[in-house]
Amino acid sequence: MRLQVVIAASVLAVILIGLSTDVDGQSTRGVRRRNRFGRIGRTGRSRSRTRLRSGGGRGGRGGSSSCGENQRRKRGGRCVPKSQDPKGVPAKKGSMGPLPGAPNLNEITSIVTRWLDENAERIPNMVQLVFHSCVGGCDGCINTNSPSNKGLIGSYREVQALWKNEAKQGISLADFVVLLGTKAVEHGMRRNGGPGPRTVEFTTGRTSCRDPTNYLKVFNFPKGQNTDAIEFLMSHFGIPSRGLAVALMGAHSLGVCRTENSGFEGRWDNTPLTLDGAYYESMLGTTWSITDAPGNEFTQWSANDGRMMLNADLHLQRDFAVNSRPSCGPISERCPENGNDVNFVRQFANNQQDWSFQFIRAFLIMVSKR
């Protein structure tokens, strides 16, 4: 009898050793066998599950039983921030591809094209917005507190709303601003009197600023009363030649100056909203008079039909210095027509097709700045 009790107890002990309870409270049978080091132990399945759920895993034991609110658990049990991509590298805004179900680039391009068709008066601002957002690197953002951006604030808010409502899940704000500017260039060139249909290459991959609604970086922009615009474009955007920089100045053909925004007043040529070579023709074919700008302490060059040029423009053609006023005048013919860039002005005035291709080259260099 005593022998039977001993045998029964031994059998019960063996059964208990062969059973383990996992962390979910379910009984699982461990397998006892010799491992490759000659030791006896259970297979790793139930043991690794216990380590994973207890927060041990690789990289530590005995941690918290769950990750924090803003964390997720990697395979192996380690907690990492949710903001990290699957490789554990912090993700950058604009660096990840579109989310599942997000609009693709063709759909976003259609949205942008339709918006420009319905808001043609915004074409000049979209081209200017690209320029201002790319000074310092094309991050899709401007400082709305800067006087240099005063005329862009309304349009920029429209762009932000359009991106947020229609395209945010498929493209970064930085890319969206450049796409809008790219399509605005195409729209402006194909309008009546323009050089005709042009396709401007567009690529993605730009990273947006962290907070577009509170962007406080301050940059210097070319001043209309000064004469260093070409040097600015070359140094800030890496445009490799004066000819390309002069071609980029042709963007002025699209717009007008308004007193409430810049202190200057007037249009550069007689084809606003059309991106063409009329800017250069207007410069060459007009007698300009020095007048006081209506909204600041500076001067501008004015024609008798509402057109105007800034010192930054006319200095491409004429040679003069500027202190408080131009060193020659009161009319432009009193200034020597031997400015550093007069030959490019003549070239683009006489060949709009050549100008359009040079403009696009310069524009693509500008929007490639990261």
Side-chain angles (χ1 to χ4, degrees):
M1 181 65 179
R2 184 176 181 180
L3 178 60
Q4 290 177 337
V5 172
V6 172
I7 294 174
S10 300
V11 171
L12 179 60
V14 171
I15 293 172
L16 290 175
I17 290 173
L19 290 174
S20 64
T21 302
D22 72 4
V23 291
D24 295 318
Q26 302 295 322
S27 294
T28 56
R29 182 174 299 277
V31 179
R32 293 180 58 80
R33 60 183 175 83
R34 291 186 181 275
N35 59 25
R36 61 193 181 94
F37 298 107
R39 302 186 182 92
I40 297 176
R42 289 187 298 251
T43 57
R45 181 173 180 270
S46 61
R47 179 171 55 193
S48 63
R49 288 182 63 187
T50 303
R51 288 171 60 194
L52 175 62
R53 294 293 297 270
S54 66
R58 284 178 294 181
R61 296 184 181 180
S64 173
S65 60
S66 63
C67 292
E69 180 180 355
N70 296 317
Q71 293 181 316
R72 63 180 178 83
R73 191 180 295 284
K74 290 188 66 174
R75 186 176 181 180
R78 186 161 60 92
C79 294
V80 297
K82 288 182 179 179
S83 60
Q84 289 191 351
D85 69 11
K87 293 183 180 180
V89 179
K92 294 181 179 179
K93 289 185 179 180
S95 64
M96 300 181 71
L99 300 174
N104 60 40
L105 185 57
N106 289 335
E107 293 170 333
I108 295 171
T109 301
S110 296
I111 292 168
V112 165
T113 300
R114 184 169 60 250
W115 187 83
L116 287 170
D117 286 339
E118 296 170 354
N119 299 275
E121 73 280 2
R122 291 287 188 252
I123 289 175
N125 276 18
M126 294 304 101
V127 176
Q128 187 184 14
L129 178 60
V130 171
F131 167 56
H132 281 223
S133 69
C134 284
V135 172
C138 299
D139 60 5
C141 299
I142 62 171
N143 184 342
T144 55
N145 296 315
S146 170
S148 298
N149 296 321
K150 187 175 180 180
L152 293 172
I153 295 173
S155 294
Y156 184 54
R157 288 172 179 163
E158 290 184 64
V159 169
Q160 287 180 300
L162 183 65
W163 170 71
K164 183 177 180 180
N165 295 331
E166 303 286 351
K168 183 176 182 179
Q169 301 303 318
I171 192 173
S172 70
L173 177 61
D175 283 335
F176 189 69
V177 168
V178 171
L179 177 61
L180 266 167
T182 299
K183 292 303 171 184
V185 167
E186 293 180 356
H187 273 61
M189 284 190 172
R190 72 166 181 256
R191 291 175 67 85
N192 290 338
R198 293 285 184 270
T199 299
V200 184
E201 181 184 1
F202 172 75
T203 58
T204 60
R206 299 167 189 84
T207 300
S208 306
C209 70
R210 286 186 176 274
D211 186 0
T213 63
N214 189 35
Y215 189 73
L216 301 178
K217 290 184 179 180
V218 177
F219 297 106
N220 292 319
F221 294 93
K223 306 298 182 184
Q225 67 270 19
N226 295 336
T227 59
D228 58 351
I230 299 303
E231 289 75 16
F232 179 95
L233 296 175
M234 295 177 70
S235 64
H236 279 72
F237 298 123
I239 294 176
S241 69
R242 294 188 70 89
L244 286 175
V246 173
L248 194 59
M249 290 283 287
H252 282 173
S253 179
L254 280 170
V256 298
C257 281
R258 292 185 172 87
T259 304
E260 63 270 23
N261 293 330
S262 65
F264 301 106
E265 183 67 34
R267 62 187 183 277
W268 279 275
D269 61 37
N270 288 322
T271 60
L273 300 185
T274 300
L275 186 54
D276 57 14
Y279 165 74
Y280 306 99
E281 297 172 18
S282 179
M283 190 182 302
L284 291 176
T286 304
T287 296
W288 303 97
S289 299
I290 298 176
T291 60
D292 292 327
N296 59 42
E297 69 274 24
F298 305 113
T299 62
Q300 62 182 56
W301 300 84
S302 300
N304 57 11
D305 61 354
R307 288 177 297 130
M308 63 92 219
M309 290 280 164
L310 305 175
N311 290 336
D313 302 301
L314 202 61
H315 193 258
L316 302 179
Q317 176 198 8
R318 304 280 178 177
D319 183 17
F320 57 88
V322 177
N323 292 315
S324 58
R325 302 177 71 85
S327 58
C328 55
I331 59 174
S332 55
E333 276 70 9
R334 301 277 180 92
C335 303
E337 193 176 14
N338 61 354
N340 289 336
D341 303 297
V342 62
N343 289 333
F344 296 120
V345 173
R346 291 169 179 161
Q347 174 184 336
F348 297 146
N350 293 326
N351 191 333
Q352 183 168 232
Q353 300 302 316
D354 178 44
W355 164 77
S356 66
F357 288 116
Q358 299 300 327
F359 176 90
I360 291 172
R361 282 183 60 196
F363 179 84
L364 291 176
I365 293 171
M366 180 179 74
V367 299
S368 68
K369 184 173 182 180
R370 298 292 195 268

